[in-house]
Amino acid sequence: MYRRAGKRAFDLAITIPLLVLCSPLLALVALLVRLKLGRPVLFRHQRPGLHGQPFTLLKFRTMTDARDAEGNLLPDAERLTPFGALLRSTSLDELPELVNVLKGEMSLVGPRPLHMRYLDRYTPEQARRHEVLPGITGWAQVHGRNAVDWETRFALDVYYVDHLSFGLDLRILGRTLATVLKREGISEAGHVTMTEFMGTAGQRQQ
């Protein structure tokens, strides 16, 4: 019952008041992004949603558009500003995703939406992460966030799919708050973001 209807009602019951309460903060962050990083204020990127269907993810921009002499974007580490790093460490860059939740493209809790190009790199078991709506936070995010390896992360995502419940969602939301306050697992060791997923070792050999 919760999976079919209760989860959506739960999302709306939290998201609508949260958007109202956070509207001054959203406006302030948007203004700061505009002043410090320029336009566009929002980062829009196509990501796979339920059953792998694409949707446009919304986040606050955290990087510049700095390019090399040939016009190619510089590496992430060179484009991520201290202000952008602060937005990421506090998860303020994720606030626009509440609009994705309101539209029914995401849930508050679920596997994080990754890149469309990863879809054909998953094993059948890993692809099960798309059996539910992607989330702003999830079981993997409260077990290391971006600091865990890909295989562990996907195993945690599938665990969530198999054990989805109201109680588990409440537990994840509570632990998310603690993780954000501690600023844990923001990125993979030695990187400003996660390294690209190229497929599991067994999958690559096929």
Side-chain angles (χ1 to χ4, degrees):
M1 180 66 71
Y2 178 71
R3 183 186 293 257
R4 291 195 301 271
K7 186 170 174 62
R8 178 60 179 159
F10 178 66
D11 282 341
L12 293 176
I14 294 180
T15 299
I16 293 174
L18 197 56
L19 275 171
V20 174
L21 291 171
C22 290
S23 56
L25 178 60
L26 283 162
L28 175 61
V29 175
L31 176 62
L32 290 174
V33 171
R34 175 67 179 86
L35 292 174
K36 293 179 175 293
L37 299 175
R39 295 179 178 174
V41 169
L42 291 179
F43 170 77
R44 302 170 186 267
H45 200 263
Q46 194 172 71
R47 299 290 174 91
L50 182 65
H51 305 311
Q53 294 302 305
F55 73 98
T56 301
L57 178 79
L58 302 175
K59 297 177 69 172
F60 280 123
R61 179 181 176 188
T62 58
M63 295 186 183
T64 69
D65 285 329
R67 298 173 183 268
D68 60 22
E70 285 72 41
N72 301 310
L73 285 172
L74 295 176
D76 290 353
E78 297 180 41
R79 294 189 295 120
L80 181 65
T81 65
F83 173 68
L86 175 64
L87 291 183
R88 289 190 177 196
S89 68
T90 56
S91 294
L92 288 174
D93 63 319
E94 309 278 359
L95 285 177
E97 291 172 37
L98 290 170
V99 176
N100 290 122
V101 176
L102 189 65
K103 294 168 65 177
E105 298 166 333
M106 293 180 66
S107 176
L108 291 172
V109 180
R112 284 293 298 166
L114 302 175
H115 294 284
M116 294 294 296
R117 64 179 179 271
Y118 291 177
L119 288 177
D120 61 358
R121 302 177 188 178
Y122 297 130
T123 66
E125 180 69 4
Q126 291 169 346
R128 294 190 57 225
R129 68 193 305 278
H130 296 296
E131 292 178 8
V132 298
L133 283 172
I136 295 179
T137 186
W139 193 234
Q141 277 58 54
V142 298
H143 285 84
R145 204 170 172 182
N146 291 326
V148 297
D149 62 77
W150 283 114
E151 281 69 27
T152 300
R153 184 172 179 169
F154 295 145
L156 291 167
D157 288 340
V158 174
Y159 175 92
Y160 175 77
V161 171
D162 290 337
H163 297 83
L164 189 157
S165 68
F166 177 65
L168 183 58
D169 278 2
L170 284 179
R171 182 180 175 189
I172 290 171
L173 289 173
R175 291 184 62 173
T176 295
L177 180 59
T179 299
V180 170
L181 290 175
K182 294 177 182 178
R183 302 189 185 184
E184 295 176 339
I186 298 166
S187 61
E188 187 176 356
H191 301 271
V192 297
T193 57
M194 282 287 289
T195 56
E196 182 167 355
F197 173 63
M198 302 305 297
T200 63
Q203 188 83 345
R204 290 194 296 267
Q205 293 171 1
Q206 294 178 1

